[in-house]
Amino acid sequence: MAPDPTPPADARETLRTETRTAGGNQRRPGRRRRIGWPAVLTGLAVLCVLTVTATVLRANGTLDAIEDANVQTSDAESVTLGYFGNLTHGPALAGVEKGYFEEALGDTELKTQVFSTGPTTIEAMNSGEVDIAFMGPNPAINSFVQSGGESVTIVAGATSGGAQFVVSDDVSGEDDLAGRTFATPDFGGTQDVALRVWLEEQGYEVDTGSPDSVSITPMPSGQALQTFRQGSIDGFWGPQPWVTRMQQEEGGKVLVDERDLWPDGRYPTTVLAVRTEFLKEHPQTVEKLLNGMEDSVEYLNTAETTEAVETLNDGLEGAQTEPLEPETIEASLEAMEWTTDPMESAYPTLLENGVKAGTTEDASLDGFVDDTYLNTVREQRGLDPVGGDAAAAAVPSSSGTRKEAA
């Protein structure tokens, strides 16, 4: 009897497995090769197109905008506001003292923290300890550049002017600075950068140790006043009220008023910066606080001098800074302008100065200033929008002459 040509079931299964693996079965493996490779090539082509498209969208900001749009926003339960006990932070002092911020924030709890330097403020913001802060523009620029544009966003201005270079009465002028020691509030701060660039333009080397070199010792403004009083430094490039106190109490004289280095005497001394992450998550809270900011600036610009002086003094005490004589505050106010305009066109020059001073690197400032939230608030209040301040676009000159930016 002839053997059964049909193999057992287990043998058939083994045969099918081996045939698939070897590729000898043309019915199944053959079809996979004919259909699979075109599909793989098509998939790769689609992937390349998507990759290129994503790259283009990322480059022009569209993808970032889409991602930002997908962020769930809400009112923050609390917001921590940082500021200094300086008169150049007047809108912060008045806003906290008069309750403008607290009232504007509504159910959002307002917490405050007082600082003495910009770099320490930035450190607190980077750690998430502070959400919004008043500071000089250069520390904010430094942070923005170092983070690749991810750390902070400027949403408003606060003060223009108020910074001066005060020297002891034995300094005869710009040609009598070699071998002397001067102070600034902090290394890389706005006044520190201004002094370093100005000295370079006068032909001085800084901190080289040579007899013709000029030394710069950063220190908090209050300490600078004491050190100036002791005769350990020859001058201070810093903010109000400290420079006025050095004049009134210690016989110092103004060698340079920084307003003279900018067109029309306008430049940002204090700005309002927000942690970019906080801004994306809680834009409603930022807009509310900007309403309080507008209230504070309006108050300072319209209140009687005696009332404003009293409010600012109370604000200084609240910031754990000693109160001042009314005449000291009044003299300081003459050197300043309160404004929510961030003066965006000044920042390329401020960045360039930071690069010259060796405190930052050159980089794009795209996205550093965003005045859309402020302008939304201003529109609701019937105020003109800010932005495009052409007056601040010129490059400051150390001689006080105004030269247009190239």
Side-chain angles (χ1 to χ4, degrees):
M1 180 175 179
D4 186 355
T6 304
D10 56 345
R12 290 200 303 270
E13 183 61 33
T14 301
L15 181 62
R16 279 198 298 270
T17 302
E18 291 176 353
T19 301
R20 284 186 191 174
T21 304
N25 188 322
Q26 297 180 359
R27 183 171 58 87
R28 291 183 179 178
R31 288 180 181 176
R32 285 185 180 179
R33 283 198 296 269
R34 287 196 298 269
I35 296 174
W37 281 111
V40 170
L41 293 175
T42 301
L44 289 173
V46 171
L47 179 61
C48 289
V49 171
L50 291 175
T51 300
V52 172
T53 302
T55 301
V56 172
L57 292 175
R58 177 73 70 186
N60 64 25
T62 303
L63 192 57
D64 289 335
I66 293 173
E67 292 174 350
D68 290 346
N70 290 330
V71 174
Q72 295 297 317
T73 65
S74 64
D75 271 326
E77 293 183 3
S78 66
V79 57
T80 301
L81 177 69
Y83 64 101
F84 299 4
N86 292 340
L87 287 180
T88 48
H89 288 231
L93 300 174
V96 172
E97 181 63 28
K98 299 290 288 185
Y100 294 130
F101 297 140
E102 191 171 14
E103 180 179 356
L105 287 171
D107 293 334
T108 298
E109 180 186 4
L110 175 65
K111 302 176 182 178
T112 60
Q113 190 165 342
V114 178
F115 297 89
S116 60
T117 68
T120 55
T121 309
I122 285 293
E123 289 177 7
M125 295 187 77
N126 289 340
S127 68
E129 183 180 351
V130 170
D131 304 307
I132 306 177
F134 291 82
M135 66 180 67
N138 279 95
I141 289 174
N142 296 346
S143 176
F144 184 84
V145 171
Q146 291 171 7
S147 69
E150 298 294 327
S151 60
V152 297
T153 303
I154 301 300
V155 294
T159 309
S160 172
Q164 296 172 322
F165 185 23
V166 175
V167 297
S168 57
D169 58 5
D170 67 329
V171 176
S172 61
E174 298 174 0
D175 298 330
D176 187 26
L177 307 181
R180 296 184 181 273
T181 299
F182 303 104
T184 60
D186 50 78
F187 178 77
T190 304
Q191 284 84 51
D192 183 74
V193 168
L195 175 57
R196 292 176 189 275
V197 172
W198 183 84
L199 287 171
E200 179 183 340
E201 292 179 348
Q202 308 312 306
Y204 290 101
E205 296 180 346
V206 176
D207 294 330
T208 63
S210 69
D212 295 331
S213 172
V214 175
S215 296
I216 298 179
T217 303
M219 63 182 70
S221 299
Q223 181 182 345
L225 174 62
Q226 298 298 325
T227 307
F228 186 73
R229 179 174 295 150
Q230 297 164 0
S232 300
I233 59 174
D234 299 291
F236 177 63
W237 192 307
Q240 297 291 357
W242 308 102
V243 289
T244 291
R245 292 190 63 182
M246 288 180 180
Q247 296 172 67
Q248 293 180 340
E249 300 173 20
E250 309 304 328
K253 59 184 180 182
V254 176
L255 185 61
V256 180
D257 188 323
E258 196 168 341
R259 289 178 299 180
D260 295 334
L261 309 184
W262 291 87
D264 298 326
R266 302 187 75 238
Y267 64 98
T269 306
T270 306
V271 296
L272 188 63
V274 182
R275 279 196 301 112
T276 302
E277 182 181 5
F278 184 89
L279 178 60
K280 290 179 179 179
E281 295 177 353
H282 307 295
Q284 304 96 318
T285 301
V286 173
E287 282 192 12
K288 289 179 178 180
L289 189 130
L290 287 171
N291 255 306
M293 179 73 169
E294 287 287 352
D295 288 336
S296 182
V297 169
E298 180 182 3
Y299 167 79
L300 289 173
N301 283 328
T302 59
E304 293 290 335
T305 301
T306 53
E307 181 185 351
V309 166
E310 182 178 353
T311 297
L312 290 170
N313 240 344
D314 291 342
L316 289 173
E317 286 193 86
Q320 300 177 346
T321 302
E322 61 180 306
L324 302 170
E325 294 295 330
E327 55 267 26
T328 298
I329 297 181
E330 291 179 20
S332 299
L333 296 182
E334 293 177 2
M336 294 183 291
E337 172 195 354
W338 312 119
T339 175
T340 57
D341 186 353
M343 303 182 189
E344 182 175 358
S345 55
Y347 293 96
T349 296
L350 291 167
L351 172 63
E352 180 183 350
N353 288 346
V355 173
K356 288 180 180 178
T359 60
T360 193
E361 299 177 354
D362 195 14
S364 171
L365 291 180
D366 289 345
F368 178 55
V369 179
D370 188 347
D371 56 22
T372 56
Y373 302 95
L374 177 64
N375 281 333
T376 296
V377 170
R378 291 179 66 83
E379 182 180 6
Q380 294 169 352
R381 300 167 71 100
L383 301 173
D384 293 333
V386 301
D389 181 7
V395 177
S397 166
S398 62
S399 63
T401 58
R402 297 168 183 172
K403 51 185 181 182
E404 296 301 320

